[in-house]
Amino acid sequence: MDKINGVMDKTSVEYKDFSKHVDEVVVLKGMIHRIREMTGFAFVIIRTARDVVQCVYSPEFSEYRMDEKVVEGCAVKATGKVVKDQTREDRYELQIHNIEILSTPAEMMPIVINKKQLDNIPLDLNLNFRPVTLRNPKERAVFKIQEGIARGFREFLLSQQFTEIRTPKINAQGAEGGANIFRLDYFGKQVFLAQSPQFYKQMLVPVYERVFEVGPVFRAEHHDTSRHLNEYISMDLEMGFIDSFHDIMNMETGALKYIMELLKSEYSEELALLNVNLPNIDEIPTIRFMDAKEIITKKFKKKITDYRDFEPEEEQLLGKWAKQEYNSDFLFVTHYPSEKRPFYAMDDPEDPEYTLSFDLLFRGIEITTGGQRIHDYNAQVAKMRARGMNPDDFESYLMAHKYGMPPHGGLGLGLERITMHLLGFKNVRYASLFPRDINRVTP
Amino acid sequence: MDKINGVMDKTSVEYKDFSKHVDEVVVLKGMIHRIREMTGFAFVIIRTARDVVQCVYSPEFSEYRMDEKVVEGCAVKATGKVVKDQTREDRYELQIHNIEILSTPAEMMPIVINKKQLDNIPLDLNLNFRPVTLRNPKERAVFKIQEGIARGFREFLLSQQFTEIRTPKINAQGAEGGANIFRLDYFGKQVFLAQSPQFYKQMLVPVYERVFEVGPVFRAEHHDTSRHLNEYISMDLEMGFIDSFHDIMNMETGALKYIMELLKSEYSEELALLNVNLPNIDEIPTIRFMDAKEIITKKFKKKITDYRDFEPEEEQLLGKWAKQEYNSDFLFVTHYPSEKRPFYAMDDPEDPEYTLSFDLLFRGIEITTGGQRIHDYNAQVAKMRARGMNPDDFESYLMAHKYGMPPHGGLGLGLERITMHLLGFKNVRYASLFPRDINRVTP
């Protein structure tokens, strides 16, 4: 009878600990990333979970032979001595004594992944070979940083007494309405894939006061653009007992500050690898929607054609303006027209054509939509009716309002979109491990 | 121009900090949970994010009048003095000076939620009124504990150098095969909802070595049982460079220990409210599948009808045996027959009719399936062919094997199922915020 006690011996040393093991013999496990044959010796670069480690083969100290079995793509266990790298300061390398081959690839790589970055291959090829291309250190660094963004969001909100929730993705109706919703057959009944956790997070405000979720949402976007995915990760929060929707903007600002600090402290290698300039967030300026339109006309001499929303170009101009005027990468635009906001948005009592809502622009691109919601049952029913909606279709959602809920609001933040803009990608697909678009469901 | 700096003033005092504010006037925000009129005074119980706080109205110190506006379900901001509760040791109450009503319900509660626990209402009624029933302190405590379980899983794995991944839920094929898969139309193409992140987590082992995901999975179970949901949260991990599948069992044991410690330290109020006896995990016994069958026959005199898998009753007997013999709530059963395990399971080289796999039983019920996977491309292709599968259908999955992957394995753990058994529920629906079953997609 074996017993399992959860004690795990660390058999492999991580590169970051090499400095503590100089002149010692250690074990390093990883994939052979690259072999560079030199005159009389060879560099064997081993890729571990987070590093690429330079190892040296030489008949002087290596007991095995560099033969045809040791190839790129092998999983190996290397034993050897840690020494200082003589050509690169503060770097260490491993003098390989022996290599045990743990597994061997069936074929050589179809794409060169062991240079600093992938060659300039088309996006489609990168995505078709995702299980391979992600092995490139720069490619994988993207999703390590993405881990950090979501982790920062979560850690900050947990520290602010939020409860993490998990809401169903199979829904009886859509929260956002419109045509971009996926339908499926559910035991003979038509149901929908969640476009957002909107209804559920609101329902849980009278339960937990503050809630958040990080999970997939689905949008049947029929167009193929560089900034839309058909499945993406939405980071959502909703909080009760707010004094105004400024509380929500404050919470988001706090979260963004925390995220940037976390990236700096825990993901610095990946940031360096990708040459990322983290934005400095001290305070974020705010501007009203109509004032923003005025700046676009007066300062940028652009003719406004639509007073209900922004065109992407207008958002770009506002981003530029925030940078020039306030040296800020971020800008909150507030008080969007009611007409273009969802039925649950609260209208501004001082001017009901506008809402107590905001978008957050990051370097001129919208990454968040948020605002205060209607909490009063009769007000919500009236707004639904005014929009031609039937409140009976939303019976369980409206239970939250009917039986009492506090003033509240919240926001949604697209994880891939913030990753994309933080890393300066031109296409959001580079910010998704396995993107889904109108033409792609594989790998 | 307002500027938002992320600084949030704490305007409301939490109950847990009342002891630091005795005799001070504080603000408490929450929902009126219950009003108990007494002779000459009243108890006004206010429900906050995590507590129910006893407040006292009395004309002696209250400046407002207890009139018909102050009703259960109101969101309020109460101002008052913290005093020691004279009848209950170590408890504090608030002498209300004033109450500001922030919102008012449109109707009185349809179900009594303000007793210690919900009255013995049918499950269906509880679920139909979920936005209301979850306001009961015991009901909501369930999902606070569930938060802790998932949080513990994640925190432990991050401490073990795992990378958190997010894989697509819209898939071109199913990972587990079989009939229980949801189909949907995706721009004219048939696609599927993920039954598990199996393929994706394996593909990412050569990228990050150790990965995990906590996310929804979908199973089109056609039967209505007390332990199946059609959508649930799967906690998955996959790790490379294992020496044997015991490494995976060790990792799970470590995670479970961490989870129980986290629950003890951060969720003690909820555990007390629900009378939860946390299992003690020191070490977990293991037994081989065939030896387990022998115990069932010899010790429990039960005739075995199926030597390929366990019946639920057999698992119950094994749970009993583990408790009697080892005083353990957990039992690892290993080496399941190859025939009943998926095509990616690695057969035992010493006896290929069995696999290097395991289930974890918790109090006699399976909560985890895991094991070592095939990493060699040719071995995986051969096993697929032997099962009548066409390897061409799995081209992108098999890229991971073809271009080299280390020995690896992993497991999946159902979040609702472990919650259910930890809390002693008879039906898994009690362990899901908004359960989905063959008859239910609302709320």
Side-chain angles (χ1 to χ4, degrees):
Chain A
M1 165 71 57
D2 281 329
K3 293 208 178 180
I4 303 289
N5 60 13
V7 174
M8 287 156 288
D9 297 329
K10 196 84 191 112
T11 55
S12 180
V13 170
E14 280 180 82
Y15 177 75
K16 70 174 169 59
D17 295 327
F18 266 27
S19 60
K20 297 176 205 152
H21 293 280
V22 177
D23 288 335
E24 289 174 25
V25 173
V26 301
V27 168
L28 181 76
K29 292 179 182 173
M31 311 294 290
I32 296 188
H33 189 57
R34 190 172 185 189
I35 297 176
R36 284 168 61 205
E37 309 255 10
M38 312 298 276
T39 316
F41 72 104
F43 289 114
V44 180
I45 313 297
I46 293 182
R47 192 180 69 244
T48 61
R50 232 172 148 174
D51 298 290
V52 284
V53 184
Q54 180 162 298
C55 305
V56 186
Y57 163 87
S58 162
E60 267 181 53
F61 44 72
S62 301
E63 291 158 20
Y64 74 104
R65 279 173 53 87
M66 277 295 288
D67 58 14
E68 68 284 353
K69 283 181 197 151
V70 183
V71 294
E72 290 171 2
C74 279
V76 297
K77 177 181 168 181
T79 314
K81 192 164 79 174
V82 175
V83 296
K84 280 208 149 191
D85 186 327
Q86 283 162 357
T87 56
R88 296 177 303 168
E89 215 175 335
D90 286 337
R91 299 287 298 176
Y92 299 86
E93 59 186 26
L94 192 78
Q95 292 186 338
I96 308 177
H97 294 175
N98 225 324
I99 272 193
E100 182 186 338
I101 295 177
L102 303 173
S103 81
T104 305
E107 287 185 21
M108 299 308 292
M109 294 293 162
I111 285 173
V112 179
I113 59 149
N114 59 14
K115 292 203 194 152
K116 264 223 162 149
Q117 58 190 50
L118 290 182
D119 286 332
N120 196 13
I121 58 171
L123 175 59
D124 247 14
L125 195 62
N126 178 330
L127 298 180
N128 288 341
F129 283 93
R130 212 61 170 151
V132 175
T133 51
L134 284 168
R135 300 180 189 191
N136 174 265
K138 280 200 173 188
E139 293 290 316
R140 72 177 181 177
V142 173
F143 303 98
K144 202 69 198 169
I145 289 174
Q146 189 166 79
E147 167 192 89
I149 296 170
R151 186 182 147 199
F153 183 76
R154 194 163 51 214
E155 285 183 4
F156 179 74
L157 295 180
L158 285 173
S159 80
Q160 300 294 312
Q161 286 82 50
F162 278 73
T163 293
E164 184 168 10
I165 57 171
R166 291 176 178 83
T167 68
K169 304 310 159 201
I170 291 176
N171 291 175
Q173 79 245 104
E176 307 300 327
N180 68 349
I181 189 161
F182 287 111
R183 292 162 171 74
L184 78 150
D185 176 76
Y186 188 86
F187 309 112
K189 192 188 303 183
Q190 177 172 268
V191 299
F192 304 95
L193 290 185
Q195 294 167 303
S196 97
Q198 184 64 35
F199 291 170
Y200 294 100
K201 60 180 184 162
Q202 280 189 264
M203 289 182 209
L204 291 169
V205 165
V207 176
Y208 294 113
E209 196 179 310
R210 295 176 168 190
V211 295
F212 75 96
E213 178 166 17
V214 178
V217 295
F218 308 87
R219 305 263 170 131
E221 304 283 355
H222 285 72
H223 37 279
D224 192 7
T225 81
S226 62
R227 58 184 206 156
H228 288 94
L229 293 169
N230 292 98
E231 175 179 350
Y232 67 91
I233 301 294
S234 185
M235 304 198 292
D236 275 271
L237 68 82
E238 200 74 17
M239 55 192 278
F241 294 96
I242 57 173
D243 290 320
S244 88
F245 72 101
H246 278 66
D247 292 357
I248 307 156
M249 287 152 64
N250 255 317
M251 195 59 80
E252 177 164 31
T253 304
L256 288 169
K257 283 184 180 186
Y258 183 92
I259 288 168
M260 298 309 155
E261 288 306 315
L262 183 70
L263 291 180
K264 255 183 238 170
S265 65
E266 305 270 328
Y267 298 85
S268 58
E269 289 164 56
E270 285 81 10
L271 292 174
L273 197 59
L274 296 170
N275 280 314
V276 180
N277 264 322
L278 287 183
N280 189 36
I281 310 173
D282 180 23
E283 45 185 23
I284 299 181
T286 72
I287 186 170
R288 283 175 171 252
F289 179 85
M290 284 306 286
D291 295 341
K293 285 286 185 186
E294 197 175 306
I295 282 169
I296 293 164
T297 346
K298 294 216 171 138
K299 200 169 161 64
F300 295 102
K301 314 290 178 210
K302 193 179 173 309
K303 199 168 177 292
I304 308 291
T305 56
D306 183 353
Y307 273 96
R308 298 169 311 163
D309 209 344
F310 292 119
E311 293 167 31
E313 196 199 331
E314 295 176 342
E315 290 181 340
Q316 288 292 342
L317 294 175
L318 290 172
K320 221 163 121 180
W321 174 79
K323 190 73 188 171
Q324 286 170 356
E325 208 75 12
Y326 300 99
N327 193 28
S328 175
D329 289 305
F330 293 92
L331 175 68
F332 280 117
V333 183
T334 65
H335 300 88
Y336 279 70
S338 186
E339 198 184 339
K340 292 293 275 185
R341 290 295 200 177
F343 68 86
Y344 49 78
M346 187 180 271
D347 294 331
D348 184 356
E350 290 175 17
D351 187 352
E353 289 199 16
Y354 297 90
T355 50
L356 300 176
S357 71
F358 64 92
D359 273 12
L360 179 61
L361 306 187
F362 173 43
R363 294 174 180 158
I365 291 159
E366 177 253 306
I367 57 165
T368 294
T369 293
Q372 183 160 358
R373 328 297 190 184
I374 298 171
H375 57 266
D376 183 77
Y377 177 73
N378 294 315
Q380 183 59 85
V381 166
K383 190 160 178 178
M384 283 177 158
R385 291 230 167 88
R387 293 200 171 196
M389 298 164 70
N390 183 355
D392 293 346
D393 295 341
F394 299 86
E395 193 189 346
S396 57
Y397 169 59
L398 287 171
M399 273 183 207
H401 307 70
K402 192 185 275 179
Y403 302 112
M405 76 192 309
H408 67 285
L411 58 84
L413 188 56
L415 179 57
E416 292 82 354
R417 209 174 259 196
I418 189 173
T419 307
M420 168 190 181
H421 296 306
L422 196 65
L423 304 188
F425 296 148
K426 295 267 176 276
N427 194 312
V428 68
R429 288 163 184 78
Y430 286 111
S432 172
L433 275 173
F434 300 99
R436 294 294 176 254
D437 63 33
I438 189 165
N439 301 308
R440 175 177 293 280
V441 285
T442 51
Chain B
M1 164 72 57
D2 283 331
K3 292 208 179 178
I4 303 290
N5 60 12
V7 174
M8 286 155 289
D9 298 328
K10 196 84 190 112
T11 54
S12 180
V13 169
E14 281 180 80
Y15 177 75
K16 71 175 169 54
D17 295 326
F18 266 26
S19 60
K20 299 176 205 153
H21 293 279
V22 176
D23 288 334
E24 289 173 25
V25 174
V26 301
V27 168
L28 182 76
K29 292 179 182 174
M31 311 293 292
I32 295 187
H33 189 57
R34 192 172 183 189
I35 296 175
R36 284 168 60 205
E37 309 253 11
M38 313 297 277
T39 317
F41 71 105
F43 288 114
V44 180
I45 314 296
I46 293 182
R47 192 178 71 243
T48 62
R50 231 170 150 176
D51 300 288
V52 284
V53 183
Q54 180 163 299
C55 305
V56 186
Y57 164 86
S58 162
E60 268 180 54
F61 43 74
S62 301
E63 291 158 19
Y64 73 104
R65 279 174 53 88
M66 277 295 287
D67 58 16
E68 68 283 356
K69 284 181 195 152
V70 183
V71 295
E72 291 171 1
C74 279
V76 297
K77 175 181 169 183
T79 312
K81 192 164 78 174
V82 176
V83 296
K84 281 208 148 192
D85 186 328
Q86 283 163 357
T87 56
R88 297 176 305 168
E89 215 174 337
D90 287 335
R91 299 285 300 176
Y92 299 86
E93 58 186 25
L94 191 78
Q95 293 186 340
I96 309 177
H97 295 175
N98 225 324
I99 271 192
E100 182 187 337
I101 295 177
L102 304 173
S103 82
T104 305
E107 289 186 19
M108 299 309 291
M109 295 291 164
I111 285 174
V112 179
I113 59 148
N114 58 14
K115 292 204 195 150
K116 264 225 163 149
Q117 59 190 50
L118 290 183
D119 285 333
N120 196 14
I121 59 170
L123 175 59
D124 246 15
L125 196 61
N126 179 330
L127 298 180
N128 287 342
F129 283 92
R130 211 59 168 153
V132 175
T133 52
L134 284 168
R135 300 180 189 190
N136 174 265
K138 280 200 174 188
E139 292 290 316
R140 72 177 182 177
V142 173
F143 303 97
K144 202 70 197 168
I145 289 174
Q146 189 165 80
E147 166 191 270
I149 296 170
R151 185 182 148 199
F153 183 76
R154 194 164 51 214
E155 285 183 4
F156 179 74
L157 295 179
L158 285 174
S159 80
Q160 301 294 312
Q161 286 80 51
F162 278 72
T163 293
E164 183 167 11
I165 57 172
R166 291 175 178 86
T167 68
K169 304 310 158 202
I170 290 177
N171 291 176
Q173 79 246 102
E176 308 298 328
N180 68 347
I181 188 160
F182 287 111
R183 291 161 173 75
L184 77 151
D185 176 75
Y186 189 86
F187 309 112
K189 193 188 304 184
Q190 178 172 264
V191 299
F192 305 95
L193 289 187
Q195 294 167 305
S196 96
Q198 184 63 35
F199 291 170
Y200 295 100
K201 60 180 182 160
Q202 280 188 263
M203 288 182 211
L204 291 170
V205 165
V207 176
Y208 294 113
E209 196 179 310
R210 295 176 168 190
V211 294
F212 76 96
E213 179 166 16
V214 178
V217 295
F218 307 87
R219 305 263 170 130
E221 306 282 356
H222 285 71
H223 37 279
D224 192 6
T225 80
S226 63
R227 55 185 206 155
H228 288 95
L229 292 169
N230 292 97
E231 175 179 350
Y232 68 91
I233 300 295
S234 185
M235 304 198 292
D236 275 271
L237 68 83
E238 200 74 18
M239 55 191 278
F241 294 96
I242 58 173
D243 291 322
S244 88
F245 72 99
H246 278 65
D247 291 357
I248 307 155
M249 287 152 64
N250 255 317
M251 195 59 78
E252 179 164 30
T253 305
L256 288 169
K257 284 185 179 185
Y258 183 91
I259 288 168
M260 299 310 156
E261 288 307 315
L262 183 70
L263 292 180
K264 254 182 240 170
S265 66
E266 305 269 328
Y267 298 86
S268 58
E269 288 164 57
E270 284 83 7
L271 294 173
L273 196 59
L274 296 171
N275 280 314
V276 181
N277 264 321
L278 287 184
N280 189 34
I281 310 172
D282 181 21
E283 45 185 24
I284 299 181
T286 73
I287 186 169
R288 282 173 170 257
F289 179 86
M290 285 306 287
D291 295 341
K293 284 286 185 186
E294 199 176 304
I295 282 169
I296 293 164
T297 347
K298 294 218 170 132
K299 198 167 164 65
F300 294 102
K301 314 290 178 210
K302 192 177 173 312
K303 197 166 180 294
I304 307 292
T305 56
D306 184 353
Y307 273 97
R308 297 169 311 163
D309 209 343
F310 293 118
E311 294 168 28
E313 195 198 332
E314 295 177 343
E315 291 181 339
Q316 288 291 345
L317 294 174
L318 290 171
K320 220 162 122 180
W321 173 79
K323 190 73 189 173
Q324 285 170 358
E325 207 75 12
Y326 299 97
N327 192 28
S328 175
D329 288 306
F330 292 92
L331 175 68
F332 280 117
V333 183
T334 66
H335 298 88
Y336 278 71
S338 186
E339 198 183 340
K340 290 294 275 185
R341 288 295 201 179
F343 69 86
Y344 49 78
M346 188 180 270
D347 294 331
D348 185 355
E350 289 175 18
D351 188 352
E353 288 199 16
Y354 298 89
T355 50
L356 299 177
S357 71
F358 64 91
D359 273 12
L360 179 61
L361 305 187
F362 173 43
R363 294 174 180 159
I365 290 159
E366 178 253 305
I367 57 164
T368 294
T369 293
Q372 184 161 357
R373 328 297 189 183
I374 299 171
H375 57 267
D376 182 78
Y377 177 73
N378 294 315
Q380 183 58 84
V381 166
K383 190 160 177 178
M384 283 177 159
R385 290 230 167 87
R387 293 201 171 194
M389 296 164 70
N390 183 356
D392 293 345
D393 295 342
F394 298 87
E395 194 190 344
S396 57
Y397 169 59
L398 287 170
M399 272 182 208
H401 307 71
K402 191 186 275 177
Y403 302 112
M405 76 193 307
H408 67 284
L411 59 83
L413 187 57
L415 179 58
E416 292 83 353
R417 209 175 260 197
I418 189 173
T419 308
M420 168 190 181
H421 296 305
L422 196 66
L423 304 188
F425 296 147
K426 295 268 176 276
N427 194 311
V428 69
R429 288 165 185 76
Y430 287 111
S432 172
L433 275 172
F434 300 98
R436 293 296 175 252
D437 65 33
I438 189 164
N439 300 310
R440 176 177 294 281
V441 285
T442 51

